[in-house]
Structure formats: structure tokens, C-alpha cells
Amino acid sequence: MSVVGRLAPTPSGHLHLGNVTAFAAAWLSVRSAGGRLLLRMEDIDTVRARAYVEDGIREDLRWLGLSWDAEVPRQSVRDYRLAIEALRPHTYRCTCTRAQIKAAGGRYPGTCRDAGHVEGALRLRLPDGPVHFVDRRFGPRDVDPNLFGDPVLVRSDGLVSYNLAVVADDLTDGVTEVVRGADLLDFTAVQLHLWRWLGEREPTWLHAPLVLGPDGAKLSKSHGSTEVRALREAGWDPARVWRTVLPWLGLEPVGAIGDAVARFDAGVGARGPVVVG
Ligand code: GLU
Ligand code: ZN
């Protein structure tokens, strides 16, 4: 099967060096395999400033040389009803309130599993036990997806969750490799159940190192200075971005992403978080 990867930005904010690191890994993995790279806007949970942010993301990707072969439909125009229907044997409705779950220690105890509710949030009935998978950088992992209890797939107001949307989309789009930031590493355990119940195949997994701000916190909107557009305004060129980011992926600090393709090796580079200097 030929390789299909994707860049899946969430258009709630502009690209920062953490996104760039994950997208560089996704781009290099596909390009070094002669595969096809898709762009998908993951806007299921994003209502703010979408068009403006999305255009900014495409502009930043082009500036960096992170080319994509096709853009597939954004999440907000997709229909997840078939996936929800297919998961019916593995789901149930839950009417617990946030306060009730908090009182139970934050981990949903499965109260509604056999209650037969016909409304409420749709939860996944997770089987017991850890899920085994092999990450191309982090190696073999055994993660218990039950750490937080049965996950919500569809909120009571109808909003489809990240876990369901990303797996349904990757199946629809023919994605064969998932490459993303290490902040999502443990979500793989939940998502593997969804892959097994929705599809007849599984993707490969590669998690790029987490990038932390100078304050040691995960990059977010409060780290505006690590956004690609801020760096550009501060006089950085793409070569400087690549000389900064590529070593985090275990690569020579060359000034163009295309020049790193031949040496790409998913298994090398940082596993622990890297801190922006
Ligand atoms: N949209 C997610 C993000 O921006 C990535 C989803 C995924 O690759 O699973 O972090
Ligand atoms: Zn419940």
C-alpha cells in the first residue's frame, strides 16, 4: 500500500515551533517514502476566526516549504453519522454532569454503562487493559486508555470529539501514517480501539518531540513569539527555522527541509521534550 500522510492543523491559532516540528516529521516521512501528503483543517471544535487563521496557516506552510499534494475537506463539513452508527455496539449514553464526574475524582467511573439512557453524551465502552502499539520514535508502548474512564465521542450538544473525528477522517482519507506531536502519544490507545472497530487496517504512528516554551510550559497562544509569523516578522528566514527545528528530529541543521529528506530516520532525535531557547 502506498504511503499517505497528513498535516492536520487545528485552526484555533497560528503555527508555532511545536506544530512546525510535528509537520516537518510528517512531511519528511511521506516525502522520503515517495508518498502523498494531505492537508486537513481540524476545525471541529473551532468556531473563532477560522478563515483568517486557516489562510495564515497555509501561508506559513508555503513559506516554510511544507508542500501538500491535496487539501481534503475540513472537519466541520464532514458527516460522522456512519462512524457513530458503526460504533453503536461499543457506545452508550451518559447523563452524568461535570460536577458528578469531578466528585468521582475526575475519572469517569462508567456509571451509565448499563443504564440504557437514550440521550446524553455518547461514550465509548473501553475494554479493560492496556493497548500495545509501536511508535516509530518512542518504540513499543503499553498504554491503558482507561486512565480517565470511558471517553466521550459525541457531546450531549452534538459536538463530535477530537478522538472520533480524527480516526474517522484518517480512515476516509486513506491515511496510512499518523505523525503528530508527542502530546497526543497516549491518545493513540483510545484511537486504536476506534481504528479496530471502524476499519480493517491500522496506521503506523510517529510522535515528534514535544516543544516547550522558555518557561517550560507546553507551547500555546501565550507563546506568541514562537509563532512562525512572529519569527518571520522578527527577521527569521525559513533556513533559520529549519536549522533550529531539524536537530530536534535528529537531523543535520540544513537550511531547507527538502535537503533533509535523504537522511530522515523516524527513530532518531529527541524523545523527551525540547525547550525553545
Ligand atoms: N489537530 C491535531 C493538532 O493540531 C492533530 C491531530 C492528530 O494528528 O491526531 O494537534
Ligand atoms: Zn454517566
Side-chain angles (χ1 to χ4, degrees):
M1 190 162 50
S2 62
V3 166
V4 180
R6 69 339 189 243
L7 308 176
T10 302
S12 58
H14 290 296
L15 294 190
H16 54 57
L17 288 178
N19 305 125
V20 174
T21 306
F23 289 168
W27 192 94
L28 288 165
S29 180
V30 165
R31 297 292 176 232
S32 63
R36 215 170 122 71
L37 188 63
L38 308 175
L39 175 64
R40 182 175 70 224
M41 292 295 171
E42 303 220 312
D43 64 344
I44 195 88
D45 196 8
T46 305
V47 282
R48 287 153 290 141
R50 206 176 61 199
Y52 163 74
V53 176
E54 286 180 6
D55 287 346
I57 289 173
R58 289 188 200 93
E59 186 184 308
D60 290 347
L61 291 173
R62 286 195 196 96
W63 183 75
L64 289 165
L66 290 171
S67 53
W68 59 96
D69 300 305
E71 181 163 353
V72 292
R74 68 183 66 258
Q75 290 184 324
S76 60
V77 302
R78 295 189 188 221
D79 186 346
Y80 295 97
R81 278 176 299 186
L82 279 178
I84 292 166
E85 189 54 37
L87 288 168
R88 191 188 284 269
H90 309 285
T91 56
Y92 62 94
R93 295 277 172 186
C94 165
T95 55
C96 297
T97 61
R98 212 180 285 246
Q100 282 171 314
I101 294 167
K102 210 171 159 198
R107 182 189 175 282
Y108 178 68
T111 318
C112 299
R113 273 191 166 201
D114 301 307
H117 296 307
V118 292
E119 52 179 31
L122 191 71
R123 284 189 189 269
L124 191 65
R125 187 188 299 266
L126 280 177
D128 289 333
V131 176
H132 179 80
F133 62 93
V134 180
D135 182 86
R136 294 161 64 200
R137 178 181 312 273
F138 290 84
R141 312 281 296 187
D142 288 286
V143 178
D144 189 347
N146 238 312
L147 288 175
F148 302 102
D150 293 344
V152 170
L153 294 186
V154 185
R155 278 188 350 199
S156 57
D157 64 4
L159 184 75
V160 171
S161 74
Y162 153 70
N163 279 311
L164 175 56
V166 77
V167 174
D169 293 351
D170 282 341
L171 269 159
T172 302
D173 297 341
V175 167
T176 66
E177 54 178 52
V178 172
V179 184
R180 58 190 178 190
D183 51 328
L184 299 171
L185 184 59
D186 287 351
F187 286 85
T188 305
V190 169
Q191 292 172 13
L192 260 171
H193 283 301
L194 295 176
W195 275 91
R196 287 167 189 168
W197 288 328
L198 288 175
E200 271 115 54
R201 58 185 190 88
E202 287 170 21
T204 60
W205 308 92
L206 169 58
H207 290 83
L210 197 60
V211 180
L212 304 179
D215 56 354
K218 201 186 136 186
L219 290 189
S220 69
K221 260 170 262 172
S222 62
H223 299 91
S225 62
T226 71
E227 283 181 355
V228 172
R229 48 200 40 228
L231 297 173
R232 186 162 59 226
E233 270 154 37
W236 287 44
D237 57 7
R240 185 160 172 206
V241 175
W242 292 126
R243 283 196 299 266
T244 303
V245 167
L246 290 172
W248 298 338
L249 297 172
L251 293 162
E252 303 276 315
V254 292
I257 182 92
D259 292 338
V261 174
R263 309 190 75 156
F264 176 70
D265 176 351
V268 301
R271 290 194 188 176
V274 295
V275 179
V276 180

